[in-house]
Amino acid sequence: MKTMTGAKMVVQALKDQGVEVVFGYPGGAVLPIYDELFQQNDIRHILVRHEQGAVHAAEGYARSTGKIGVALVTSGPGATNAVTGLVDALMDSIPIIVLSGQVPTFMIGTDGFQEADTVGITRPCTKMNWLVKETERLSETIHQAFHVALSGRPGPVLVDIPKDVQFATGSYTPVQKARTAHYQPKVKGDIEAITRLVELMETAERPVFYTGGGVINSGKGASQLLCEFADATGFPVTSTLMGLGAYPASGKSWLGMLGMHGLYEANLAMHGCDLMINVGARFDDRITGRLADFSPKSTKVHIDIDPSSINKVIRVDVPIVGDVGHVLEDALKIWKARGRKVNKEGLAKWWKQIEEWKAVNCLAYENSASIIKPQFALQRLEALTKGMDRYITTEVGQHQMWAAQFLHFDAPNRWMTSGGLGTMGYGIPASVGVQIAHPEALVINVAGEASWLMNMQEMGTAMQFRAPVKQFILNNERLGMVRQWQELLHGERYSQSWSESLPDFVKLAEAFGCKGLRCSDPKDLDDAIMEMIRYDGPVIFDCLVEKHENCFPMIPSGKPHNEMLLSADASAFKSGAVLV
């Protein structure tokens, strides 16, 4: 074994794990590591402007590549600034590693300068975390962290490294000798349970595949298997916000997204199905609505690699613990071996019903010749970028839901958004992380002006590292989703939801040194979008949209799937009418 300093161990471990990019911000407690980064050329360091930005950038990198994202932060406020990103990654199962500096071991517990109990603070928001007090254990711990982050249900891990451990010397443990056998999640599903799933599929009259981010996390093979299975059976497919792209939006079985702002046909199919096949989703409350009325007459199958997710929210009839890709592969083999049987008569009636629901055209809106509707802006963005090598990130709010409704994804890993935590400020740094991973691709962050301002400093990162990210801001001068809920549920009392003193985004772009665009007329929108796309560098696009547009469909909080609000229903709902 080679002898080296702890700081050198960190860099060597990252190299051995195949890390190409680290997003970070230096400080006193990590200067030895930064010194080692300076003396090598294999790992690229991206200097963010805020540690929250480092973690979100690592998330964007991870989500768009399938690799582990890495962030490096200093002790105290550096580590606490990273917490939001850690929780975000935990909720959405994104594999990232945060390496944090710590005060020297002999100062731990003394309230030293920039000391925080990082391991204690981050224990609830990581899969696993470590405080490494001995240099001899440092390299092996980092290798274990990589293993834990990506194995089983992916997620964030943190390694806290005191400064004296970075200076001291010890023996380096190579990857192949690191102990990882103690954490080996089950990936193969129970064959009897999988066979039971196939039996249910053979007779179901109203089946539906309910898919989630687990399909994407399992890898492209899982998405391909899902497509093959859905197309071979003719079963309809819907998806959570995190699962968009796992089944192509152009596919013949696609129903669209389900949930609080999901499509009418997707939600009614979930409500009325007799067989629900949950593939890599966790029955999030934004999907289920009122639990007692969630898909009341269906037999429920749940495929998930995380055993703690099964029966946590919804009791299911057939639990299958295992990796989505492995389980789908086995299920497809068994289904083919048993004769590829489905209930053709039942399916025909089911699709006829679904087509009737589709005819409602739930995304319809009243367009305008004088003002840009946000839906129209995203329809044009979709039309003008369709077929391009395109990646989309979002902030959080109405614009996020409209993006999910109107932008279409035919492949996994093309859609990066904050689902479980709903983190405003996620989009800009995530877009930078995606662009660093895919320098030749078109990367667009769909934003609201309020969310965008939360981490706007990361435009400095984009400029420094020549990441030509496009910031497409739907500017309604409102906290749009908050304002919508206040209109519909709080008597139109708009408490603190109207933005004041917004910056001039074009001048702000110029201050950052990038290109600024503004558009307020629908007839100019296409040309402006094309100017944004063609510009060779970062762009801030201020798209002035209708201020009081609401996002529909909408399942009001605590209501079941069959009590959706469509745009025409809003006035009736505000007056207290019951919708069925």
Side-chain angles (χ1 to χ4, degrees), residues 52 56 84-85 88 394-396 418-419 421-427 451:
Q52 182 185 352
H56 292 327
T84 298
D88 190 271
T394 78
E395 302 292 345
V396 169
S418 174
L421 194 61
T423 307
M424 294 173 73
Y426 169 91
S451 271

Side-chain angles (χ1 to χ4, degrees), residues 4-6 9 133-139 164-165 168-170:
M4 60 184 74
T5 66
M9 280 185 188
K133 293 185 177 182
E134 300 168 14
T135 307
E136 286 286 339
R137 299 182 60 186
L138 180 56
S139 53
D164 58 333
V165 171
T169 59

Side-chain angles (χ1 to χ4, degrees), residues 3-241:
T3 299
M4 60 184 74
T5 66
K8 194 171 186 66
M9 280 185 188
V10 171
V11 175
Q12 187 61 51
L14 296 179
K15 289 180 181 179
D16 288 352
Q17 290 287 346
V19 173
E20 298 172 342
V21 181
V22 171
F23 302 90
Y25 200 97
V30 284
L31 286 185
I33 298 173
Y34 271 89
D35 193 45
E36 289 295 335
L37 284 171
F38 184 82
Q39 298 178 62
Q40 57 82 53
N41 294 310
D42 296 324
I43 297 173
R44 187 182 184 195
H45 181 276
I46 304 297
L47 177 65
V48 296
R49 273 47 180 173
H50 190 282
E51 291 88 356
Q52 182 185 352
V55 183
H56 292 327
E59 287 187 272
Y61 181 93
R63 185 72 173 175
S64 66
T65 63
K67 301 176 183 178
I68 295 176
V70 181
L72 175 59
V73 302
T74 194
S75 63
T80 58
N81 282 344
V83 166
T84 298
L86 286 169
V87 184
D88 190 271
L90 185 71
M91 295 283 277
D92 288 345
S93 305
I94 309 300
I96 61 168
I97 287 178
V98 173
L99 302 172
S100 58
Q102 185 55 274
V103 299
T105 53
F106 57 84
M107 289 182 62
I108 292 175
T110 68
D111 294 333
F113 177 66
Q114 291 195 329
E115 181 187 0
D117 178 9
T118 301
V119 166
I121 290 167
T122 61
R123 185 171 290 118
C125 48
T126 53
K127 277 186 75 178
M128 183 72 185
N129 62 13
W130 296 262
L131 170 61
V132 184
K133 293 185 177 182
E134 300 168 14
T135 307
E136 286 286 339
R137 299 182 60 186
L138 180 56
S139 53
E140 181 175 54
T141 301
I142 293 173
H143 295 320
Q144 288 176 345
F146 273 86
H147 174 72
V148 171
L150 205 53
S151 300
R153 178 181 175 181
V157 297
L158 178 138
V159 182
D160 201 30
I161 313 170
K163 192 169 184 178
D164 58 333
V165 171
Q166 299 170 40
F167 277 124
T169 59
S171 299
Y172 179 81
T173 303
V175 177
Q176 58 271 24
K177 292 189 176 180
R179 291 169 294 175
T180 56
H182 59 291
Y183 184 69
Q184 298 292 338
K186 182 181 179 183
V187 295
K188 295 288 285 184
D190 179 73
I191 290 298
E192 287 187 13
I194 296 172
T195 302
R196 176 61 181 145
L197 161 62
V198 171
E199 291 171 350
L200 291 167
M201 292 175 69
E202 291 172 343
T203 58
E205 296 180 354
R206 303 182 306 280
V208 66
F209 278 114
Y210 155 37
T211 63
V215 183
I216 294 172
N217 287 338
S218 182
K220 287 185 171 60
S223 295
Q224 291 165 358
L225 286 164
L226 172 66
C227 294
E228 183 183 351
F229 217 173
D231 292 345
T233 57
F235 288 7
V237 181
T238 183
S239 166
T240 66
L241 182 71

Side-chain angles (χ1 to χ4, degrees), residues 439-510:
E440 302 303 318
L442 173 64
V443 180
I444 303 172
N445 177 37
V446 177
E449 81 290 340
S451 271
W452 193 87
L453 288 170
M454 286 198 170
N455 272 322
M456 69 175 183
Q457 74 283 344
E458 298 307 328
M459 287 306 294
T461 306
M463 286 302 299
Q464 178 179 347
F465 293 95
R466 297 177 175 83
V469 289
K470 316 303 182 188
Q471 305 297 319
F472 191 67
I473 301 173
L474 300 181
N475 184 355
N476 59 9
E477 300 179 3
R478 303 288 186 270
L479 310 185
M481 192 62 82
V482 172
R483 187 212 56 76
Q484 176 169 336
W485 281 52
Q486 288 172 336
E487 177 187 336
L488 297 177
L489 304 173
H490 296 278
E492 300 185 43
R493 293 180 293 278
Y494 300 118
S495 176
Q496 305 300 314
S497 60
W498 290 30
S499 299
E500 302 287 349
S501 302
L502 287 171
D504 182 322
F505 287 103
V506 173
K507 288 182 178 178
L508 186 62
E510 293 168 356

